[in-house]
Amino acid sequence: MTERYVLDLQEVDETQVAVVGGKGAHLGGLSRIEGIRVPAGFCVTTDAFRRIMAEAPSLDDRLDQLSRLNPDDREAIRTLSAQIRRTVEGIAVPDDLTAAITRALARLGEQAAYAVRSSATAEDLPTASFAGQQDTYLNVVGPTAILQHVSRCWASLFTERAVTYRQRNGIDHRTVHMAVVVQRMVFPHASGILFTADPVTGNRKVATVDAGFGLGEALVSGLVNPDVFKVRHGEVVAKAIAAKQRAVHALPTGGTQEVAIDSRRQEQPALTDAQVVRLVQLGRRIEAHFGRPQDIEWCLVHDGFQIVQSRPITTLFPVPETGDQENHVYVSVGHQQMMTDPMKPLGLSMWQLTAMVPMHTAGGRLFVDVTRRLAAPASRAGLLDVMGRGDPLVRDALETVLDRDDFVPSLPDAGPGGPPTGGASATIETDPAIVTELIERSQVSIAALERDIRTKTGPALFEFLLEAFEEHKRVLSDPLSMQAIMAGMEATWWLNDTLQEWLGEKNAADTLTLSAPDNVTSEMGLALLDVADVIRPHSEVVAFLQGVEDEGFLDELAKLAGGIEARDAMEAYLDRYGMRCVGEIDITRPRWRERPTTLVPVLLDNVRNFEPGAAERRFEQGRRKAQQKEQDVLSRLRALPDGDRKAGEAKRMIDRVRTFIGYREYPKYAIVSRYFVYKQALLEEAERLVQAGVLPQKEDIFYLTFQELHDVARSNQADDRLIQQRKDAFGSYHALTPPRVLTSDGEAVTGAYRREDVPAGALIGLPVSAGTIEGRARVILDIAEADLEAGDILVTSFTDPSWSPLFVAVAGLVTEVGGLMTHGAVIAREYGLPAVVGVERATRLIGDGQRIRVHGTDGYVEILP
């Protein structure tokens, strides 16, 4: 019986989290690694904790009360958790439990000093470190004091901090149990923390050591700045020695004390370089044992290192798996596609199967390996040029990697069959009929897909889809389509570069592209204004929409005065645009057709903020402005030397940009239209699998790759454990920030703008739509929570085409992600909204409701007092 209450550290390993908690399990695992010394000790198991909790039946009711509290109700959580802690600390430890702990102490030395440390079962997990959630007591002497501190550790499961953390992370209080680790105290000369990967850059080849004198508490509590060493390939490559004025030492009678450090020792390094290198070697051994980068607490005692804790570093962005030891450079797909949120496995694999280039996954995001293109001079120049025009931060990050000592190999230029450097060369006539023909081709292809997929089910559906993906890629890579896109983009670049040179005017193309024809995304924003016109006269419909929560609300509309017209207008809108949604490159995201309530707040904003006929007026206004700009530019050019030739060239380019720039948005619309057809077929298949008892719910298919789902359809068997693991992993990916550029060493390279021409304190970004606007910032992360007024400036992390309906209601745009030709930028120019994109951490640095000034021509944002 008693053996269940106490286990020696040597008896446990990392598989026993349920018995000894995360910390205990990790320490047990550490103590088994050859060459790693861990202070001797034992674990008081979770069985002991459960026994204690059972001694006070009143705790059950209190835990029920606790789980019902709102995580933001700080006062109620503080009061209730304090009551629970007092109750737990007040429970007398039963005799058999006391005896088991005392026997373990007798084996290690009853009057020695000990560290008594909490070890919860939901702690030091791969996905949530819970660091600092529970308590540690140092230098505890004597059995009575140790038993008292064991009780305190049990109670620390219910600190306000730990309770709030669990509630915010959706962890049930009853599922978490507390073990306690009791270890011989070590009295170190120096101590600190070792990260086996650089916690700032993510580089897995660089270890970072923080070191100070005395006990590690001085560093953890922020009492002193540590010495910091960086180690790469077995040598110290950087170090910063701090003036360490204080240290924490253990007292002979128990407890700890802060002491001043002799002024002559303050500037001395806490470790020699040789000791640092030796410590990192131990760290690499620990990392290899646990299979991932570790955050390790260490002590130096008589020139030997002892390890007192190791936990995974949870903030590192994962590295794509390649199976080789070569160097690789990856560029984020999400930053190009305006979707940096994590994607579910089905979404990742469907995009991979329909993309034009191979893609790798990591952290729920997609990356393209550009190493080979960076390796050869010609393809490198082309890649840097295209990336630089799209997002200067990506280009700068790539150049930073290229500056590294031989990280990217040098290869000769590929022959004629080598990889393309940009798009297809734009040698087509400026003829609007080309765009009409391309759109017709696309519509015919989608209609055929809709027709042919209807009869397919089971494994035959998957065989059909694999063929459909080939057609998908064929449509995407249609040379004429590529030429049309490039013609519009190259004409934009030509106008911006040449008119700046000839007339000294920045971003002239921004005005020349206002209300360009055939832009399916800008038409989508204007079309919702037309829906608002239908709804506005019917007060009953407007009132009903203000309270809508249920997705079936369109059927309810028919019962109201004016409701049939309102429903028909919304249905027609959804027929044309219902396949869109935020994050639409992930097929698993709910489409507007599936969740029409998403559009209701935007629609109501339009009803409130606009007069009837606004869509037509907006479009006409833009067209006239573009026409006036054209006349103005041409007349100014004619006045220059050789003016007629310059005006003639500019006129040809203006016609070209107006003909083709709208089409830039069409291929994405076609992709997403096809996606919705695929999705509906797959969900019907999921329904069949649910009916057959293979899956508990339809949405479980989102956590399988396309290939795995194909297997499930064939075998009628699904791996529930795998699906649950995928759900947990997906949840953890939200906390990770995907880098624009990532190396195979794990280094996240962010890039910088390197500009001198902005005022101090301004937030730098990329100018993508000219003009300057001042107004109230609305920081909106979810389109369904939009609440806009005329003159507001939209600040968000990224905007894909689904955000366009918001663009008609705002006066300016600021995003964290984006480039010159990404969707948000194209639509901002179409609508004439001053816009700055690629502003790092904009949604955190700009407060909702703050007044800001957006400099869309020069690419920066000022926060106004």
Side-chain angles (χ1 to χ4, degrees):
M1 177 77 184
T2 54
E3 263 49 55
R4 286 183 13 218
Y5 293 143
V6 172
L7 289 172
D8 193 271
L9 270 182
Q10 302 281 345
E11 296 177 73
V12 298
D13 63 23
E14 53 273 32
T15 62
Q16 289 164 277
V17 172
V19 183
V20 294
K23 191 175 293 162
H26 260 76
L27 282 167
L30 279 168
S31 65
R32 292 164 171 236
I33 305 171
E34 198 178 330
I36 302 297
R37 289 167 58 203
V38 174
F42 59 88
C43 300
V44 182
T45 66
T46 51
D47 282 343
F49 173 76
R50 276 191 285 270
R51 169 91 188 269
I52 288 294
M53 294 296 278
E55 298 278 323
S58 66
L59 284 171
D60 260 1
D61 294 343
R62 288 191 177 154
L63 287 178
D64 280 344
Q65 279 174 270
L66 197 58
S67 59
R68 287 196 294 271
L69 291 179
N70 182 325
D72 295 323
D73 191 348
R74 302 277 299 275
E75 196 48 49
I77 288 177
R78 185 176 300 132
T79 308
L80 192 51
S81 58
Q83 284 175 9
I84 294 172
R85 282 199 309 281
R86 275 199 301 277
T87 305
V88 173
E89 284 188 41
I91 296 168
V93 181
D95 291 348
D96 55 341
L97 184 44
T98 303
I101 293 171
T102 313
R103 269 200 304 278
L105 284 172
R107 284 199 302 274
L108 292 173
E110 218 169 77
Q111 288 310 309
Y114 289 87
V116 182
R117 315 171 75 190
S118 313
S119 178
T121 52
E123 183 180 37
D124 295 349
L125 305 178
T127 53
S129 78
F130 286 71
Q133 293 298 313
Q134 278 91 33
D135 295 350
T136 286
Y137 301 98
L138 298 178
N139 205 28
V140 184
V141 179
T144 310
I146 284 166
L147 282 164
Q148 184 189 2
H149 284 86
V150 168
S151 285
R152 283 188 189 167
C153 283
W154 288 329
S156 77
L157 193 61
F158 302 103
T159 61
E160 182 191 345
R161 194 174 55 204
V163 166
T164 307
Y165 188 91
R166 288 197 293 271
Q167 278 179 276
R168 286 197 194 289
N169 285 280
I171 297 166
D172 179 354
H173 300 298
R174 295 171 186 286
T175 61
V176 184
H177 299 117
M178 181 65 86
V180 182
V181 176
V182 180
Q183 268 180 300
R184 280 291 294 257
M185 189 71 193
V186 289
F187 300 102
H189 162 73
S191 58
I193 297 160
L194 156 64
F195 296 98
T196 63
D198 189 318
V200 179
T201 68
N203 194 326
R204 310 303 201 264
K205 299 269 176 76
V206 175
T208 302
V209 175
D210 289 3
F213 294 121
L215 292 166
E217 296 307 289
L219 302 189
V220 176
S221 63
L223 180 65
V224 296
N225 289 329
D227 296 340
V228 180
F229 301 86
K230 290 196 184 294
V231 176
R232 186 185 177 99
H233 299 319
E235 63 175 310
V236 176
V237 290
K239 60 180 164 183
I241 307 304
K244 298 168 288 297
Q245 295 168 346
R246 324 276 302 156
V248 173
H249 284 291
L251 293 168
T253 52
T256 59
Q257 178 187 31
E258 241 182 76
V259 295
I261 292 176
D262 182 310
S263 58
R264 286 167 306 204
R265 276 185 69 215
Q266 287 178 9
E267 305 278 346
Q268 277 182 2
L271 295 177
T272 65
D273 284 10
Q275 286 171 328
V276 170
V277 170
R278 201 165 82 229
L279 174 61
V280 170
Q281 284 168 346
L282 296 176
R284 292 279 174 235
R285 205 175 285 182
I286 293 168
E287 178 182 66
H289 175 84
F290 289 119
R292 53 190 304 160
Q294 298 286 304
D295 158 357
I296 297 165
E297 289 178 30
W298 56 269
C299 294
L300 177 68
V301 190
H302 309 309
D303 200 39
F305 287 103
Q306 298 211 22
I307 305 299
V308 292
Q309 187 154 339
S310 183
R311 61 168 82 90
I313 308 176
T314 55
T315 53
L316 297 175
F317 200 86
V319 182
E321 286 175 24
T322 54
D324 64 33
Q325 296 302 306
E326 304 294 311
N327 287 347
H328 294 271
V329 182
Y330 303 98
V331 171
S332 158
V333 172
H335 285 80
Q336 318 291 310
Q337 291 292 341
M338 300 296 89
M339 160 62 180
T340 53
D341 288 350
M343 293 166 70
K344 296 191 178 98
L346 185 64
L348 291 166
S349 66
M350 295 279 279
W351 194 261
Q352 284 174 302
L353 286 166
T354 51
M356 303 310 299
V357 292
M359 291 180 180
H360 303 264
T361 65
R365 276 77 168 191
L366 290 164
F367 293 87
V368 172
D369 186 341
V370 295
T371 322
R372 286 196 71 77
R373 287 176 68 181
L374 283 177
S379 59
R380 178 191 310 145
L383 178 72
L384 291 175
D385 184 48
V386 170
M387 290 294 175
R389 286 189 182 278
D391 182 344
L393 291 177
V394 173
R395 177 179 180 138
D396 188 76
L398 290 173
E399 286 177 333
T400 304
V401 176
L402 286 166
D403 287 343
R404 301 276 155 79
D405 44 343
D406 302 333
F407 187 83
V408 177
S410 281
L411 296 174
D413 280 321
T421 53
S425 68
T427 53
I428 51 172
E429 292 301 305
T430 302
D431 179 0
I434 292 173
V435 172
T436 311
E437 185 197 333
L438 283 167
I439 290 173
E440 275 172 15
R441 274 190 212 175
S442 172
Q443 287 171 338
V444 167
S445 171
I446 292 166
L449 172 68
E450 286 176 326
R451 184 187 65 238
D452 297 343
I453 205 168
R454 283 192 194 124
T455 55
K456 306 293 186 288
T457 179
L461 169 67
F462 291 87
E463 302 299 339
F464 171 82
L465 281 171
L466 287 170
E467 286 172 32
F469 297 162
E470 292 312 306
E471 165 68 2
H472 182 123
K473 289 198 271 196
R474 193 192 62 70
V475 172
L476 263 188
S477 59
D478 178 339
L480 189 62
S481 176
M482 298 288 227
Q483 287 177 319
I485 292 169
M486 288 311 294
M489 284 164 61
E490 285 172 357
T492 305
W493 298 333
W494 187 94
L495 285 166
N496 279 338
D497 295 347
T498 312
L499 295 180
Q500 180 154 11
E501 186 189 324
W502 288 348
L503 298 174
E505 187 170 338
K506 281 185 184 173
N507 303 348
D510 293 2
T511 312
L512 294 165
T513 51
L514 288 171
S515 299
D518 299 312
N519 187 320
V520 69
T521 310
S522 60
E523 285 164 8
M524 176 170 77
L526 297 174
L528 201 62
L529 286 174
D530 291 336
V531 178
D533 286 355
V534 175
I535 288 168
R536 196 178 289 106
H538 304 295
S539 54
E540 221 179 307
V541 172
V542 174
F544 169 76
L545 288 175
Q546 281 162 343
V548 156
E549 282 177 12
D550 177 24
E551 296 304 342
F553 73 92
L554 286 170
D555 298 333
E556 299 291 308
L557 275 175
K559 302 170 190 168
L560 307 173
I564 291 174
E565 298 96 303
R567 184 197 61 198
D568 291 351
M570 286 194 75
E571 285 285 1
Y573 185 85
L574 290 170
D575 285 346
R576 182 144 166 72
Y577 303 110
M579 77 295 284
R580 309 221 85 152
C581 68
V582 172
E584 60 192 10
I585 71 168
D586 181 352
I587 199 169
T588 72
R589 291 281 192 114
R591 312 282 134 179
W592 291 344
R593 176 47 91 186
E594 297 169 295
R595 201 176 281 176
T597 50
T598 310
L599 289 171
V600 170
V602 191
L603 194 53
L604 289 170
D605 280 349
N606 287 352
V607 167
R608 195 176 68 238
N609 293 334
F610 291 93
E611 297 294 315
E616 201 177 335
R617 275 198 307 280
R618 285 287 290 264
F619 190 78
E620 197 42 46
Q621 224 174 355
R623 211 176 56 75
R624 273 206 309 275
K625 261 193 195 166
Q627 247 173 350
Q628 285 162 0
K629 183 70 176 176
E630 179 180 329
Q631 287 162 0
D632 167 57
V633 163
L634 296 178
S635 66
R636 283 160 63 199
L637 286 174
R638 285 191 197 101
L640 297 175
D642 197 15
D644 285 349
R645 180 189 63 81
K646 288 176 175 166
E649 278 187 50
K651 171 65 177 153
R652 277 196 300 282
M653 283 300 180
I654 292 169
D655 290 348
R656 199 164 176 77
V657 87
R658 302 255 341 143
T659 300
F660 291 116
I661 202 65
Y663 178 71
R664 161 78 182 79
E665 289 293 298
Y666 201 85
K668 183 78 171 277
Y669 174 77
I671 291 173
V672 176
S673 300
R674 295 180 73 89
Y675 257 34
F676 194 39
V677 180
Y678 305 153
K679 182 178 189 179
Q680 288 169 302
L682 287 171
L683 283 173
E684 280 176 32
E685 190 57 26
E687 185 58 51
R688 185 186 73 73
L689 292 166
V690 170
Q691 296 301 325
V694 178
L695 292 172
Q697 48 193 23
K698 281 197 305 189
E699 284 73 20
D700 284 350
I701 68 166
F702 297 161
Y703 296 94
L704 297 170
T705 65
F706 180 82
Q707 297 86 338
E708 289 165 346
L709 184 52
H710 190 175
D711 291 341
V712 170
R714 268 195 295 249
S715 66
N716 268 342
Q717 287 182 310
D719 182 344
D720 297 340
R721 270 218 341 269
L722 175 70
I723 290 170
Q724 190 52 52
Q725 279 169 356
R726 295 273 177 79
K727 287 179 180 177
D728 294 344
F730 177 72
S732 73
Y733 294 152
H734 284 278
L736 300 173
T737 303
R740 281 177 166 80
V741 170
L742 179 67
T743 73
S744 46
D745 285 354
E747 186 176 2
V749 193
T750 47
Y753 284 109
R754 310 192 192 283
R755 283 171 49 190
E756 307 291 321
D757 58 341
V758 289
L763 309 179
I764 303 177
L766 184 63
V768 295
S769 186
T772 302
I773 190 76
E774 210 175 282
R776 176 179 75 150
R778 290 309 321 270
V779 180
I780 297 174
L781 300 176
D782 180 351
I783 191 171
E785 286 166 15
D787 177 15
L788 295 163
E789 289 175 15
D792 282 350
I793 296 169
L794 173 63
V795 179
T796 188
S797 42
F798 57 79
T799 60
D800 58 10
S802 68
W803 286 77
S804 303
L806 257 63
F807 284 23
V808 297
V810 296
L813 172 72
V814 179
T815 67
E816 294 181 338
V817 175
L820 201 58
M821 283 296 165
T822 46
H823 303 275
V826 173
I827 306 307
R829 289 195 288 274
E830 286 257 329
Y831 285 169
L833 298 178
V836 180
V837 301
V839 179
E840 292 276 81
R841 300 186 17 253
T843 58
R844 279 168 278 179
L845 296 172
I846 298 170
D848 187 41
Q850 266 187 315
R851 285 194 70 74
I852 60 172
R853 188 181 296 130
V854 177
H855 296 262
T857 310
D858 294 313
Y860 63 91
V861 180
E862 290 179 283
I863 298 175
L864 302 174

